[in-house]
Amino acid sequence: MNNKLSIVLIAAIILLNGCGSVREYRIRQAVLSDASTTEEIRKAVDYRELMVGMTKEQVIASWGLPCKWCFGTRRSPSGDTWEYITFGSDNLVTGSDFLGIGNGIYLFFDKDGMLKHWSSE
């Protein structure tokens, strides 16, 4: 019985992970093919960097989906907060990944969905 449950859990995790990756890919392609995306934003997306003023879609194109299970990801009428988990300086873990323990980076959006600032605190 435990083996069957383990197999089901692993299959569910793989399926959920794949769905997030497909969504991230589609958003990235849409942002990069949008004629209104500035060259500065394109470079930021290519280098996986953030810029104040990015839309939520542009942030997803650059960093992927935020952590779905993290306490720091929440909606608010005044602006959403997204949390990303990092493992060291070069490894970004996004919402399409499973749970992890690391240091959170918090992204703060205004009520119009534009990135205001980010912080590791």
Side-chain angles (χ1 to χ4, degrees):
M1 181 73 175
N2 285 338
N3 284 340
K4 288 182 182 179
L5 181 59
S6 296
I7 291 171
V8 169
L9 279 171
I10 290 170
I13 291 168
I14 290 170
L15 178 64
L16 290 173
N17 190 16
C19 292
S21 297
V22 169
R23 181 173 175 220
E24 290 170 1
Y25 175 79
R26 287 184 180 155
I27 291 171
R28 183 178 174 86
Q29 294 307 311
V31 166
L32 292 175
S33 65
D34 184 350
S36 68
T37 301
T38 66
E39 188 60 31
E40 192 175 32
I41 295 290
R42 288 178 201 280
K43 284 182 182 177
V45 168
D46 283 341
Y47 291 114
R48 302 216 178 268
E49 296 175 346
L50 298 175
M51 291 178 53
V52 171
M54 281 181 145
T55 65
K56 290 179 180 180
E57 290 78 16
Q58 291 166 340
V59 169
I60 293 170
S62 184
W63 274 28
L65 294 166
C67 178
K68 298 175 198 134
W69 303 279
C70 297
F71 178 74
T73 299
R74 58 189 177 275
R75 291 183 175 256
S76 168
S78 61
D80 296 347
T81 302
W82 290 0
E83 182 176 357
Y84 289 84
I85 302 296
T86 59
F87 294 99
S89 61
D90 295 326
N91 191 4
L92 184 68
V93 178
T94 66
S96 64
D97 295 305
F98 195 60
L99 294 175
I101 299 172
N103 300 316
I105 296 179
Y106 303 91
L107 280 60
F108 302 93
F109 295 88
D110 64 19
K111 63 181 173 138
D112 298 320
M114 303 300 279
L115 184 62
K116 294 189 304 186
H117 62 94
W118 57 92
S119 171
S120 61
E121 299 177 10

